[in-house]
């Protein structure tokens, strides 16, 4: 594999892209909550994320792209811990060039990925990645569609072929079980934020990683 | 879960349904080749199946529903071993009422499943179930669609919602990677056989199972 895109559209990878869009200097994705706390304290970084959809006690921010305040995050490094997405980023980072992809930065991610021959799109899913999440597959389908549009001759595996057979992937994001969970938590605005295709003109790339963490910074596309 | 349907449309569950349709008295799905050989010898049963798509030396039959001869299998018990499908059947059988579902027996399987509240559809996939297979998901999508048509109020999880979003699931069976493999092996007729929706009017139900085997017999629907 030459390049990997991790998708957790509700909400971790949307959050990573939006944090960088609002001027955060870097996002450090953490695989465990305790490590996130330690990294934030050690680096004087903001601590953001969720457990069960909501920020744990002592966190500076949740995992809500819709409620981000540019004044609060601009110029700051942010450590982000979430149940599935940041774990997926950390797990994948050691296997190759990795980006955090979402619908908000769809076009830039597709252009970045299309430069590589063998591309893997990883859906973060639910329950630490052991369970299928429709929202992530829908966003991955948008991404696969955009890459194939840029490079129509590209070979596709069975998962990508399924993605390409979907007529309206974007409509499946609010139809996902996790979207219902967010609405019940009063976080419906994050679903709309996550569906705002191509409002963020950057690609969050993993620039450094270690045991349980991956540091992302923006690149253009 | 109240009922489980295992789908390996290319070709194991299509083969199970077709064997019973041609009058086999029972099919014993085996999880390992050596066990299949031992069971067939012990019971005086026909030995059928494939490794890499083709029958291993000494097998009476391959895993090819298109080339089944009624005169050869009618009234016989058949032990079937395949790389993914029979393993999936054996793995699932201990978790509840299990049927082998395919496109050929779509309507009967859907009617049988629709009687139960909590239904799980398991796609056999590739590489011992660790890899996604588009053909199995396509057939599972047909099945989910047929169950929901019989019972429109039924709740669906994310996987089923994805299945229901596909406009033409049947078209995806010949588009799957495994379909290409079969065509390269000269087994393209099995793809057409597997796509012959509702040509088999029975439901293969697991009636007995043990360590590494599951015995299926037909029931109506």
């Amino acid at each position: 594999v030459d390049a990997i895109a991790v998708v957790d559209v509700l909400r971790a990878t949307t959050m990573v892209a939006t944090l960088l869009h609002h001027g955060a200097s870097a996002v450090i994705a953490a695989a465990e909550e305790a490590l996130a706390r330690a990294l934030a304290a050690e680096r004087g970084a903001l601590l953001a994320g969720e457990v069960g959809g909501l920020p744990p006690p002592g966190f500076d921010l949740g995992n809500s792209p819709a409620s981000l305040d540019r004044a609060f995050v601009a110029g700051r490094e942010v450590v982000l811990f979430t149940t599935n997405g940041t774990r997926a980023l950390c797990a994948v980072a050691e296997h190759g060039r990795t980006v955090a992809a979402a619908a908000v930065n769809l076009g830039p991610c597709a252009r970045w990925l299309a430069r590589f021959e063998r591309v893997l799109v990883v859906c973060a899913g639910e329950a630490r990645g052991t369970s299928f999440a429709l929202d992530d597959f829908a966003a991955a389908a948008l991404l696969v569609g955009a890459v194939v549009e840029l490079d129509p001759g590209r070979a596709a595996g069975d998962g990508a072929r399924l993605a390409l057979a979907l007529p309206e992937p974007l409509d499946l994001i609010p139809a996902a079980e996790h979207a219902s969970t967010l609405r019940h938590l009063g976080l419906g605005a994050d679903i709309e934020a996550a569906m705002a295709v191509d409002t963020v003109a950057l690609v969050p790339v993993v620039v450094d990683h270690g045991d349980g963490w991956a540091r992302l910074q923006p690149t253009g596309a």
Side-chain angles (χ1 to χ4, degrees), chain A:
Chain A
V1 170
D2 302 312
I4 308 171
V6 173
V7 178
D8 185 349
V9 71
L10 294 178
R11 298 169 290 171
T13 56
T14 301
M15 183 69 173
V16 170
T18 308
L19 281 166
L20 297 173
H21 178 65
H22 284 332
S25 58
V27 175
I28 301 179
E32 300 297 338
E33 183 184 339
L35 178 63
R37 291 182 187 273
L39 285 169
E42 179 187 314
R43 303 174 71 97
L46 290 172
L47 180 58
E50 55 87 14
V51 172
L54 299 171
F59 272 46
D60 302 304
L61 287 165
N63 183 35
S64 175
S67 44
L68 269 184
D69 181 352
R70 165 174 281 269
F72 196 63
V73 301
R76 299 293 302 275
E77 194 171 65
V78 180
V79 175
L80 180 67
F81 166 74
T82 74
T83 322
N84 301 294
T86 60
R87 284 183 170 132
L89 280 165
C90 295
V92 158
E94 64 183 292
H95 296 284
R97 256 181 226 107
T98 299
V99 294
V104 293
N105 62 347
L106 182 72
C109 286
R111 286 190 290 280
W112 189 89
L113 290 169
R115 296 184 290 150
F116 301 100
E117 192 179 333
R118 301 194 309 159
V119 169
L120 179 68
V121 180
V122 174
C123 295
E126 294 292 320
R128 290 181 164 235
T130 60
S131 179
F132 175 77
L134 182 58
D135 44 313
D136 292 341
F137 190 82
L142 289 170
L143 188 59
V144 169
V147 170
V148 169
E149 198 169 311
L150 292 166
D151 179 12
R154 179 177 290 261
D158 270 5
R161 290 177 203 187
L162 176 61
L164 294 168
L166 286 174
E168 297 290 349
L170 192 65
D171 294 351
L172 298 179
I173 293 176
E177 293 180 84
H178 191 54
S180 303
T181 304
L182 290 175
R183 281 190 290 264
H184 284 122
L185 291 169
L187 296 165
D190 282 333
I191 303 167
E192 285 176 53
M195 291 173 68
V197 173
D198 280 343
T199 51
V200 170
L202 58 83
V203 181
V205 179
V206 173
V207 293
D208 194 11
H209 62 92
D211 191 16
W213 62 271
R215 189 165 189 270
L216 298 110
Q217 286 192 304
T219 185

